[in-house]
Amino acid sequence: MSDKKMLEEEERAIYTGDHCLSCTSCMSNCPVMAATKEYRGPKLVAPAHGRMHFAEDDTELSLDFCSNCKTCDRACPSGVAVSTLNMLQRGEYYRHHPHTQRDDMLAHAEKTAKLVTSLPLGTTFANLGMTIGKAIGMFSSMGIAGEREMPKYASSTFAQEFKKINQPKSDKKVVFYPGCSINYNEPHIGVAFVKVMNKNGYEVLLDEKFNCCGSPLVVTGYLDEAHEHAENNTERILYWKQQGIPVVVCCTSCSLMLRKEYEELFGEAAMKEAGENVYDAFEFLEMLDAEGKFNTNFNAVNERFMYHVPCHLKTQGIGTPAVSIFRHLPGAKVELADAGCCGISGNYGFKKEKYEISMKIGEKLFTRIKAAAPDDVICDCPTCRMQIAHGTPKKPVHPIEVLAKAYK
């Protein structure tokens, strides 16, 4: 046992399996179960093993089907952390079984991105290599869905772009946590965030000691490595909390990991304390709005938006703050897609054997978007946007991009 202060037993996610009533709410709401008969269901994996506190060596054979979308957690009437128990069991399994090369690659996107961006013309050659690799079936042979487009690297990282921004100084500050996707693939989203915060009187800080939130590591069974990331990021968040400066995030999977999943997975009191200093970007703006401090000096937008709410935003229990903020945009109309999980669930839908499942889960959303034919689709999650772009003619954007463009 570590000398770190742990949460009390009744607060630990690992013990919530004892509260399972076997009511099947998790199973009736699970999008993976609806898409394939091979998955025996969340409660047969997590609570069954969690109730024994992982005392047994056997592993439920359908453990790999859980996408960690957390729909089961929200459906459970007894507060069982079903998906977290699944991830703990998956981590335990891979402590004794080898990973595939495919899983190693999907789990370590940050490590690969750091290498690529450190080399001269590294991003150019990496993007070219991915295009060629897809064309000749290399990814498919590795176990990655050949139908997928791998996310392209930006020519410069957000950290590099951030240094070029001339921000007005302010005594009001936030620390921006960009995550891997914004830093290496979509830095323009981070730039848009900085603009929005500047327009609201805040100076944005960047802490380059942060690393990947660990979500890709958790879902592929690298739990011990994810724990190292959690400890580092927790230390950084608490450092900024001591300065009275909140940490704000634009990716809903990152924000869920930082503010909630660390304490659920690892049970350390410091992680729960750190989570209290982490905010979703639109949650933070909604708080400013509630205090009458949100800048509403916008140009007319006059567009119809369809908003897909990411599963990992729903799990945070903060509603749909982007919709609330968009009400201030002149002429903007926002409609919720309300079509369930998109199906991709981070790197889940990139796995060759899970591709058809992910697309079947997303069918309802794809049909909804095509039928509604909005001007734009907005979504806070990078992989959800990839899935929507893959399954519909639309190319979704992050709502912070729309907000940044709308400011006068």
Side-chain angles (χ1 to χ4, degrees):
M1 171 65 71
S2 167
D3 59 359
K4 294 181 176 65
K5 183 179 179 182
M6 307 300 287
L7 295 170
E8 297 296 326
E9 183 173 308
E10 61 268 21
E11 296 179 275
R12 296 286 304 277
I14 194 173
Y15 297 114
T16 60
D18 295 332
H19 302 299
C20 176
L21 303 173
S22 294
C23 69
T24 73
S25 289
C26 61
M27 299 174 74
S28 61
N29 284 276
C30 176
V32 177
M33 282 198 76
T36 177
K37 294 181 180 179
E38 292 185 70
Y39 187 30
R40 299 178 187 177
K43 79 184 184 77
L44 295 179
V45 181
H49 286 272
R51 186 176 282 116
M52 296 182 290
H53 308 314
F54 308 114
E56 301 294 324
D57 293 330
D58 66 311
T59 301
E60 163 55 45
L61 296 178
S62 65
L63 172 64
D64 189 51
F65 280 91
C66 175
S67 69
N68 200 36
C69 70
K70 297 192 170 290
T71 302
C72 51
D73 296 41
R74 299 193 301 275
C76 180
S78 303
V80 178
V82 185
S83 63
T84 297
L85 289 168
N86 269 332
M87 295 304 107
L88 288 170
Q89 185 66 17
R90 188 175 293 174
E92 183 61 27
Y93 174 83
Y94 280 109
R95 287 191 179 103
H96 310 287
H97 298 80
H99 281 91
T100 64
Q101 183 184 16
R102 186 273 310 276
D103 284 355
D104 183 77
M105 187 176 84
L106 291 176
H108 296 96
E110 181 187 46
K111 183 189 295 183
T112 303
K114 284 182 176 179
L115 174 62
V116 166
T117 55
S118 69
L119 300 172
L121 298 176
T123 57
T124 300
F125 287 115
N127 290 337
L128 179 62
M130 286 189 288
T131 300
I132 296 172
K134 175 182 168 65
I136 65 175
M138 182 182 72
F139 288 136
S140 181
S141 67
M142 291 175 60
I144 294 174
E147 299 88 344
R148 294 281 182 197
E149 293 288 341
M150 298 300 287
K152 296 291 191 291
Y153 294 109
S155 57
S156 59
T157 66
F158 170 72
Q160 292 168 333
E161 292 299 311
F162 179 77
K163 293 172 183 176
K164 302 174 187 177
I165 301 174
N166 185 21
Q167 296 188 72
K169 296 296 181 182
S170 173
D171 58 351
K172 297 188 295 183
K173 303 180 192 297
V174 296
V175 173
F176 180 50
Y177 179 89
C180 302
S181 178
I182 290 177
N183 194 31
Y184 297 108
N185 307 107
E186 301 181 297
H188 60 277
I189 294 175
V191 172
F193 171 79
V194 175
K195 178 180 178 180
V196 169
M197 296 311 299
N198 289 170
K199 287 286 186 179
N200 282 277
Y202 279 81
E203 182 181 352
V204 177
L205 308 178
L206 185 66
D207 185 345
E208 295 193 46
K209 292 182 180 179
F210 275 122
N211 54 9
C212 171
C213 69
S215 181
L217 294 166
V218 170
V219 297
T220 40
Y222 290 87
L223 199 60
D224 293 334
E225 195 173 339
H227 194 181
E228 294 174 6
H229 283 231
E231 290 183 320
N232 174 74
N233 291 335
T234 294
E235 180 182 328
R236 299 313 305 159
I237 295 167
L238 291 177
Y239 169 82
W240 292 110
K241 186 177 183 181
Q242 291 168 0
Q243 317 303 312
I245 301 175
V247 175
V248 184
V249 190
C250 276
C251 170
T252 48
S253 294
C254 289
S255 57
L256 177 65
M257 183 63 69
L258 296 174
R259 74 194 301 181
K260 186 176 180 181
E261 287 190 274
Y262 283 171
E263 63 164 288
E264 286 191 351
L265 288 163
F266 308 117
E268 296 178 17
M271 293 174 180
K272 181 176 182 179
E273 182 186 350
E276 295 167 356
N277 195 47
V278 177
Y279 299 87
D280 169 79
F282 277 90
E283 175 191 20
F284 192 83
L285 295 174
E286 190 177 39
M287 290 164 55
L288 293 182
D289 192 26
E291 297 171 0
K293 298 177 181 177
F294 178 62
N295 180 356
T296 58
N297 189 20
F298 294 111
N299 291 306
V301 175
N302 298 325
E303 286 190 58
R304 285 195 313 119
F305 297 96
M306 177 155 283
Y307 180 42
H308 171 63
V309 186
C311 293
H312 288 176
L313 177 63
K314 294 176 185 176
T315 303
Q316 294 182 50
I318 57 175
T320 52
V323 175
S324 176
I325 291 299
F326 266 53
R327 293 193 182 104
H328 291 293
L329 297 180
K333 295 180 180 179
V334 182
E335 184 178 359
L336 294 178
D338 194 23
C341 180
C342 78
I344 197 168
S345 295
N347 62 35
Y348 185 85
F350 281 90
K351 298 176 181 179
K352 186 176 181 178
E353 72 277 13
K354 301 298 191 301
Y355 174 76
E356 292 299 333
I357 295 173
S358 75
M359 294 303 288
K360 189 171 182 180
I361 292 171
E363 279 179 3
K364 185 179 178 181
L365 175 62
F366 305 151
T367 301
R368 176 85 170 91
I369 291 171
K370 291 172 185 176
D375 296 318
D376 278 305
V377 177
I378 52 176
C379 180
D380 321 67
C381 173
T383 53
C384 288
R385 292 194 298 274
M386 291 179 206
Q387 176 79 329
I388 294 168
H390 186 64
T392 76
K394 293 293 182 182
K395 186 178 180 180
V397 297
H398 195 292
I400 203 76
E401 297 177 70
V402 178
L403 207 62
K405 290 179 182 177
Y407 268 117
K408 293 180 179 178

